[in-house]
Amino acid sequence: MLTSFLGVLFDGLAYGMLLFLISVGLSVTLGLMNFINLAHGAFGMLGGYVCVMALQNWGLPFFVMLPAVFLTSALAGLVLERVLYRYLYRRSHLDQVLATIGLTFMSIAAATYFFGPLQQPLQVPKFLSGQVSVLGVDLNIYRGFLLAVGVALTIVLTLALERTRFGASVRASVDKPRVAEGLGIRVGLVFQITFAVGCGLAGLGGALGVQVLGLDPAFPLKFIVYFLLVVAVGGTSSLKGPLYAALLLGVIDVAGKYYVPQIGAFIIYAMMIVLLVIRPHGLVSRQ
Amino acid sequence: MFKRLVEILAVSAACVAAFPAAAQEPLKIGMVLEMSGGFADFGMQMMNGARAYMKVHGDTVAGRKVQLIVKDTTGVPDVAKRVAQELVTNDKVDFLAGFGLTPSALAVASLATEAKKPMIVMNAATSIITTRSPYIARVSFTLPQVTAPLATWALRNGITRAYTLVADYGPGIDAETQFKKTFTASGGQIVGDVRTPMRNPEFAPFLQRIKDARPQAVFVFLPAGEQAVGFMKGFAERELDKAGIKLIATGDVTEDGVIEAMGDAPLGVVTTQHYSVAHDSAQNRIFLKAYAEVSGSSQRANFMAVGAWDGMAAIYEVARRLNGAIDGDKAMEILKGMKIDSPRGPVTIDPATRDPIETIYVRRVERLKDGKLYNVEFDQFTNVKDPTR
């Protein structure tokens, strides 16, 4: 009884961490830049394909691929920011939604054209697959790895935003762009880098998620609900909000499916409604 | 200007006079397929299967040129109905065909009755489909038809305690019901069941539940593709095989087109179905060669492509017997009892139900000499009908 509960808790936390990993990029662009990028999943998908293709064709080690995936997606974000996104910063949210959802559909069509509609195979390294038994609880190694990556990433991002000069520039540029500009902060450049980092994180999340979520051209639309869920429930004012939201939703989703499988798939949505009624501005909101 | 118009009219009139209209009107086949969205692979398989048939058997039958008109349902039943309507009223097709998914087929059934168009179901496998219109004939299979032999095989091979996991929609419920019925009728025991949602990226909690119940085997039906891949990965990751739980499934789970995406996970899994690319027959070799040429990709054909190939065979046969003049009622009379020499082996369309009677093979996933995974047939049940009808 207790061991099965611990197993469910572990799986739930790992699943929640995965939700956080694929959503954190969105909370960077949405929360920090107040820009609604519904094409977030397209960058996640790009990361996934880059990772799968490189592993298949060149046999590069998985760990080398992860930073490479981050950089590729960030670069793609940088290019798109210059040619498309920066013209949308000052437009209404509706314009942003329409433009980026269009981009999402284009990315789906492009992925189908280049890679076909099929699921892509991904073999994670041997030492990351399988299970270990800890105190009678079977723990999945890859899920443990996801948890570790999530924790590390949260620490790095929090430190970067709150303790570095660049983080301060980002916050200043978001809150009062004109004053920041006056103080000599290059707001355009700051946004450009922030956006690229958001896209890079999306790609990284996509690549890490392939093993659990699968990868096909429908990826950006299939998981858009989860990105938005995490960011909406968590709130966009800090990284902590989406992290707590993702972990909570992950545990509830897994526990629901394990203990009451008849209605398990709906529990995550019911929970979202409850949380949004209690805290309409998100779990962690700006005062 | 006026002179030019007269010229055009004269030329057109000459064309009409020179060729009798009836003989030249193309034989139009309206293909209602999932060409985009999560099931886009279904549509590709079936379109290429049909094109492969035309490549081998020519694109003219009974003096009429065969024209495939492909419409995309995007996997949504309402869209399937709309495009089928367009095919009937605008394109004036002679046959409706395709249908990868049950909901699409059900949505179009009433239209087939109203328009008296023969509707050839090339894949969708819920039992009830053919009861929804007298103009439907199915050349593929039904889920109870492949599930009942699997339950029998399991009992014969010492499996008496089983858990069932199926996708929560028509075919899944068909499969679950039939498995339980056949399995318990001969003394087997079902220790638990679970129906998984159609949009379900995460199998882990369901798998853990099964693992904790410790059955001898778990019976699985999931639609081919994404869900099957996700499940197989989870099954291996969670080491259910090492916990002594056997995986038995309908062939959808280890479908030929996606099996390579599963790594080593499916090795040794036992499934039942009507077709495997590893089936050894002359017809199958012809089919596979033509499919590879038409599709132009390295992706393998699967049972859906075979369904489309056989559906085209049925349509060609009807056209020949009616000398190219297609009439809904006459076509259905010919389809009832029709025998098709399929790449999977002989198939007869049951005159009573308009569903196929065919051999169901028991297969095991093995890695063959070319280094690829195949469903290798090692046992069979001949002349299997849908047991629910």
Side-chain angles (χ1 to χ4, degrees):
Chain A
M1 189 61 217
L2 183 67
T3 54
S4 79
F5 174 74
L6 287 176
V8 166
L9 192 66
F10 173 79
D11 283 343
L13 286 174
Y15 186 52
M17 198 53 97
L18 179 62
L19 292 181
F20 176 70
L21 287 171
I22 61 173
S23 316
V24 62
L26 184 64
S27 86
V28 167
T29 43
L30 184 62
L32 291 176
M33 302 170 63
N34 195 22
F35 180 85
I36 300 183
N37 182 17
L38 290 188
H40 174 76
F43 292 100
M45 177 169 72
L46 175 72
Y49 275 111
V50 168
C51 182
V52 168
M53 290 301 145
L55 286 177
Q56 260 174 25
N57 297 335
W58 306 319
L60 293 177
F62 190 64
F63 284 108
V64 176
M65 273 325 292
L66 292 180
V69 161
F70 177 86
L71 290 176
T72 322
S73 310
L75 193 67
L78 204 61
V79 172
L80 274 173
E81 201 267 352
R82 284 291 90 185
V83 299
L84 180 70
Y85 280 100
R86 66 178 169 140
Y87 300 108
L88 292 165
Y89 288 153
R90 306 253 172 264
R91 305 291 287 269
S92 70
H93 277 166
L94 181 63
D95 286 353
Q96 297 174 352
V97 164
L98 291 176
T100 53
I101 199 78
L103 202 61
T104 306
F105 284 118
M106 285 163 69
S107 74
I108 292 174
T112 313
Y113 181 79
F114 287 112
F115 306 109
L118 278 188
Q119 281 284 321
Q120 296 295 331
L122 173 74
Q123 299 294 323
V124 298
K126 274 275 177 287
F127 60 89
L128 281 181
S129 52
Q131 296 197 308
V132 282
S133 190
V134 179
L135 304 173
V137 188
D138 285 343
L139 301 182
N140 183 282
I141 297 171
Y142 191 76
R143 276 160 208 264
F145 168 68
L146 286 179
L147 272 174
V149 174
V151 170
L153 205 59
T154 310
I155 293 171
V156 169
L157 285 176
T158 311
L159 287 180
L161 268 179
E162 290 172 9
R163 296 270 188 276
T164 66
R165 199 176 169 77
F166 181 76
S169 312
V170 173
R171 284 177 286 138
S173 306
V174 172
D175 287 343
K176 289 274 186 294
R178 292 186 63 183
V179 177
E181 195 101 47
L183 288 170
I185 296 171
R186 296 173 63 191
V187 174
L189 184 68
V190 167
F191 273 10
Q192 217 174 315
I193 295 172
T194 312
F195 187 81
V197 169
C199 294
L201 290 171
L204 183 66
L208 287 167
V210 175
Q211 174 69 3
V212 178
L213 304 174
L215 178 69
D216 62 27
F219 185 92
L221 275 189
K222 230 182 322 185
F223 298 108
I224 199 168
V225 180
Y226 292 92
F227 313 144
L228 295 177
L229 207 74
V230 166
V231 175
V233 170
T236 53
S237 60
S238 72
L239 289 175
K240 270 182 246 140
L243 176 67
Y244 296 157
L247 292 179
L248 189 63
L249 291 169
V251 171
I252 287 168
D253 188 49
V254 170
K257 282 175 177 167
Y258 183 85
Y259 290 110
V260 270
Q262 296 81 4
I263 55 160
F266 299 101
I267 289 179
I268 190 168
Y269 302 107
M271 198 63 206
M272 171 191 76
I273 293 170
V274 171
L275 287 172
L276 285 180
V277 167
I278 302 171
R279 298 193 66 91
H281 296 290
L283 288 179
V284 180
S285 57
R286 215 182 287 236
Q287 273 73 43
Chain B
M1 183 63 211
F2 181 69
K3 200 180 157 209
R4 176 107 187 102
L5 190 66
V6 169
E7 264 172 28
I8 293 171
L9 282 176
V11 172
S12 330
C15 288
V16 173
F19 306 100
Q24 277 305 304
E25 191 71 2
L27 180 79
K28 291 181 180 170
I29 302 170
M31 300 281 280
V32 181
L33 296 176
E34 294 72 23
M35 298 303 292
S36 63
F39 294 96
D41 185 44
F42 285 36
M44 288 306 290
Q45 284 278 355
M46 292 165 76
M47 187 179 76
N48 287 333
R51 286 170 58 207
Y53 187 87
M54 290 168 67
K55 187 177 166 69
V56 173
H57 296 88
D59 60 356
T60 310
V61 63
R64 294 178 71 178
K65 192 146 177 80
V66 179
Q67 188 186 353
L68 287 184
I69 306 175
V70 176
K71 296 271 179 176
D72 182 9
T73 71
T74 68
V76 178
D78 290 344
V79 179
K81 176 146 198 187
R82 196 187 72 223
V83 296
Q85 194 116 38
E86 285 170 15
L87 285 167
V88 169
T89 53
N90 299 351
D91 297 309
K92 309 229 172 345
V93 295
D94 297 287
F95 288 89
L96 287 168
F99 308 99
L101 297 174
T102 292
S104 303
L106 293 179
V108 178
S110 60
L111 188 73
T113 311
E114 220 174 300
K116 301 196 173 177
K117 291 290 174 204
M119 171 171 157
I120 311 293
V121 175
M122 294 169 162
N123 185 53
T126 310
S127 261
I128 52 164
I129 291 176
T130 46
T131 66
R132 293 302 167 90
S133 165
Y135 292 91
I136 298 179
R138 174 158 39 197
V139 295
S140 51
F141 68 111
T142 74
L143 274 159
Q145 187 181 22
V146 298
T147 307
L150 183 59
T152 309
W153 180 87
L155 284 164
R156 275 184 204 162
N157 289 274
I159 295 169
T160 53
R161 295 176 70 251
Y163 205 107
T164 66
L165 179 144
V166 299
D168 194 2
Y169 78 129
I173 293 160
D174 263 12
E176 183 195 279
T177 313
Q178 187 61 47
F179 187 85
K180 283 183 179 171
K181 197 173 153 200
T182 312
F183 197 65
T184 52
S186 310
Q189 187 200 351
I190 301 289
V191 294
D193 56 47
V194 63
R195 294 176 182 174
T196 58
M198 282 299 278
R199 283 192 160 266
N200 177 58
E202 170 69 329
F203 282 102
F206 300 124
L207 285 163
Q208 190 59 45
R209 215 179 144 79
I210 294 169
K211 195 176 179 185
D212 294 345
R214 305 217 164 270
Q216 282 174 294
V218 52
F219 163 74
V220 177
F221 162 77
L222 292 166
E226 169 203 356
Q227 296 213 14
V229 177
F231 177 85
M232 278 311 315
K233 270 189 176 169
F235 187 87
E237 228 178 47
R238 221 143 267 270
E239 299 180 343
L240 269 73
D241 47 345
K242 286 182 193 153
I245 301 169
K246 283 200 182 69
L247 176 57
I248 54 176
T250 66
D252 307 78
V253 175
T254 59
E255 177 253 301
D256 292 305
V258 299
I259 194 167
E260 282 297 320
M262 298 175 174
D264 284 335
L267 280 172
V269 174
V270 171
T271 59
T272 46
Q273 214 188 22
H274 55 290
Y275 177 72
S276 158
V277 284
H279 183 68
D280 186 24
S281 76
Q283 272 295 324
N284 191 33
R285 280 188 288 275
I286 295 170
F287 161 73
L288 288 174
K289 183 165 172 284
Y291 186 91
E293 284 166 16
V294 165
S295 79
S297 81
S298 60
Q299 199 209 328
R300 273 194 256 171
N302 68 11
F303 63 91
M304 299 172 205
V306 172
W309 170 283
D310 291 337
M312 292 300 285
I315 289 170
Y316 272 46
E317 177 67 11
V318 169
R320 271 193 294 271
R321 300 259 291 271
L322 292 174
N323 279 321
I326 308 300
D327 169 274
D329 293 299
K330 286 182 193 157
M332 294 317 293
E333 284 316 306
I334 295 170
L335 284 164
K336 289 176 190 167
M338 183 186 279
K339 291 189 189 319
I340 304 169
D341 186 14
S342 162
R344 67 188 110 157
V347 178
T348 307
I349 298 178
D350 187 341
T353 62
R354 287 163 279 115
D355 267 330
I357 305 173
E358 59 196 318
T359 303
I360 300 301
Y361 302 90
V362 187
R363 311 96 50 88
R364 185 178 287 114
V365 178
E366 290 173 23
R367 202 175 276 290
L368 293 188
K369 285 197 192 83
D370 64 355
K372 299 208 167 101
L373 295 172
Y374 288 93
N375 291 294
V376 180
E377 297 162 352
F378 65 91
D379 199 353
Q380 54 177 280
F381 293 76
T382 49
N383 290 324
V384 181
K385 287 187 193 187
D386 183 321
T388 64
R389 298 286 297 280

